[in-house]
Amino acid sequence: MGDARVQNFGIKITGSGSAVPATCLDNQVLTQLVETSDEWITTRTGIRQRRLASFDESLTTLATVASRQAIAASGITPGDLDLIVLTTSTPDDLFGTACQIQAQLGATKAVAFDMTAACSGFVFGMVTAAQFIRGGVYQNVLVIGADILSRWVDWQDRGTCILFGDGAGAVVMQKSETSDRLLGFELKSDGTQNHYLNLPYKGESQQLAADINVTKGTYQPITMNGKEVYRFAVLRVPEVIDKALFHANLSVEKIDWLLLHQANQRILDAVAQRLNIPDSKVISNLAQYGNTSAASIPLALDEAVRSGKIKPGDIIAASGFGAGLSWGAVIFQWGREKE
Ligand code: COA
């Protein structure tokens, strides 16, 4: 472990899993909370319902269920894992939640850490994991995307509360000596537009002693400029997918599945249209779950794999985008090599 010599191994993505809370909030019930309608939400977003974590559910419990499935599907055991990357903006503990998941899984050998890139988190996490595998440092990596944004939604703000839901998804990425199935990627950040989508810490100055002040407060509910975020996504996502395809040396026709962060059906449709990808290749499950942030891509991936839609060897263009602002795309081939 930790060998700094540069080597170049391939990557295979061999198993997926997902979990959502049992509680379901549909658009009709939302009309009791804010002035809205099922028709408005459905036509503007495509979302019909979302799952919400109850008091006795946590990021750790959801992520652990998703992870166990991904590990089993990949044919390894928790003890084989070298690294766990948890991408989330809503940890159970600000010091990090990945170690609690490591303990729950019994992944005693694995090093575990959290990383945050909001709704781009899972794509950023896959690319981060890939660097450890490529260099020959680690063989078996679990990448989790999990969020409980319901903790931070302002349930009186109809501009945001209609969008978000909770969930978790995970994949196992492994070293391959025979092929490389992570074909290309591109990641981007633009902090100058950070104010369009925030979950900011706000505090007040508290005096401890003469000339010594600290700040005490908490995080404030999500604020968003929906129109600007929409504009950003529709412009930047096709661009970043094009760049990732260029790195992969692939043309857009080679994509079997377009797997976008599930933010809004209109964004999915507009991006597919700009890239000239037919609707039949667009994976969408946001009608059931809404925007589950870092969880949305692995959750949709896992459902499509388990339903038999995504088959081994299929080429997937995945793209995450959101707060930061951050956005990125990764092109990969699903499953292990032919055995
Ligand atoms: N129900 C009913 N009316 C609503 C509403 C709701 N839930 N939310 C907003 N409205 C109203 C507004 O108040 C506004 O009324 P007005 O014209 O009287 O002022 C009108 O509907 C239009 O609002 P607007 O914000 O312009 O709507 P929109 O077409 O931009 O749709 C979003 C709003 C949020 C659905 C859309 O901007 C969006 O999806 N943006 C991207 C957000 C996103 O995906 N964020 C996460 C990225 S990770």
Side-chain angles (χ1 to χ4, degrees), residues 5-316:
R5 284 171 301 176
V6 178
Q7 303 180 38
N8 249 320
F9 292 101
I11 289 154
K12 51 187 175 179
I13 299 128
T14 54
S16 64
S18 62
V20 289
T23 307
C24 182
L25 173 66
D26 67 23
N27 291 348
Q28 207 52 52
V29 177
L30 260 178
T31 65
Q32 296 166 20
L33 305 180
V34 288
E35 207 182 315
T36 189
S37 66
D38 175 42
E39 203 257 335
W40 194 96
I41 301 170
T42 310
T43 51
R44 301 273 176 139
T45 71
I47 300 165
R48 294 182 183 278
Q49 57 188 45
R50 64 287 291 145
R51 301 297 185 90
L52 303 183
S54 59
F55 185 71
D56 53 5
E57 286 167 312
S58 66
L59 199 82
T60 305
T61 59
L62 288 174
T64 301
V65 173
S67 299
R68 285 206 179 105
Q69 288 177 10
I71 293 163
S74 74
I76 61 168
T77 66
D80 296 322
L81 288 174
D82 303 304
L83 171 66
I84 299 171
V85 179
L86 169 65
T87 62
T88 188
S89 306
T90 53
D92 291 336
D93 183 329
L94 265 187
F95 285 150
T97 297
C99 295
Q100 293 177 57
I101 298 164
Q102 181 237 22
Q104 291 290 320
L105 293 173
T108 46
K109 190 176 76 171
V111 63
F113 61 83
D114 292 25
M115 62 177 274
T116 299
C119 300
S120 312
F122 188 75
V123 167
F124 279 48
M126 276 185 83
V127 172
T128 301
Q131 309 315 308
F132 285 102
I133 299 172
R134 274 211 204 296
V137 180
Y138 296 134
Q139 291 195 33
N140 300 311
V141 182
L142 176 70
V143 182
I144 308 164
D147 266 310
I148 301 186
L149 278 183
S150 63
R151 288 172 172 170
W152 298 108
V153 162
D154 176 353
W155 290 102
Q156 258 120 55
D157 175 12
R158 68 178 182 171
T160 54
C161 76
I162 57 158
L163 297 174
F164 299 105
D166 304 333
V171 298
V172 169
M173 295 171 59
Q174 295 183 275
K175 181 170 107 177
S176 168
E177 310 219 0
T178 53
S179 71
D180 191 357
R181 303 199 135 203
L182 197 140
L183 307 170
F185 70 86
E186 177 83 8
L187 306 179
K188 295 291 220 180
S189 306
D190 181 3
T192 65
Q193 298 192 55
N194 176 270
H195 53 284
Y196 288 144
L197 184 49
N198 291 115
L199 204 174
Y201 178 86
K202 278 204 186 122
E204 286 179 3
S205 182
Q206 186 182 317
Q207 188 169 35
L208 292 186
D211 299 329
I212 300 176
N213 293 299
V214 289
T215 309
K216 300 295 275 182
T218 185
Y219 292 89
Q220 302 303 306
I222 297 168
T223 58
M224 181 183 71
N225 181 329
K227 278 216 180 317
E228 289 298 341
V229 174
Y230 187 93
R231 234 193 298 268
F232 144 75
V234 169
L235 180 66
R236 297 298 177 203
V237 173
E239 244 173 48
V240 84
I241 292 174
D242 263 341
K243 280 257 171 65
L245 281 169
F246 175 77
H247 296 313
N249 201 16
L250 286 176
S251 63
V252 74
E253 298 78 47
K254 295 281 188 235
I255 296 175
D256 294 303
W257 301 106
L258 180 65
L259 176 53
L260 301 182
H261 165 51
Q262 306 282 299
N264 181 321
Q265 188 60 45
R266 288 192 299 146
I267 295 177
L268 269 57
D269 294 343
V271 170
Q273 200 180 6
R274 284 195 182 199
L275 288 168
N276 234 341
I277 295 176
D279 289 351
S280 56
K281 290 186 172 183
V282 179
I283 292 178
S284 171
N285 69 356
L286 55 61
Q288 286 85 53
Y289 304 116
N291 177 344
T292 57
S293 193
S296 88
I297 290 176
L299 178 57
L301 173 74
D302 184 51
E303 283 197 349
V305 167
R306 281 172 199 275
S307 70
K309 208 169 176 176
I310 293 179
K311 297 187 174 55
D314 282 358
I315 294 177
I316 299 164

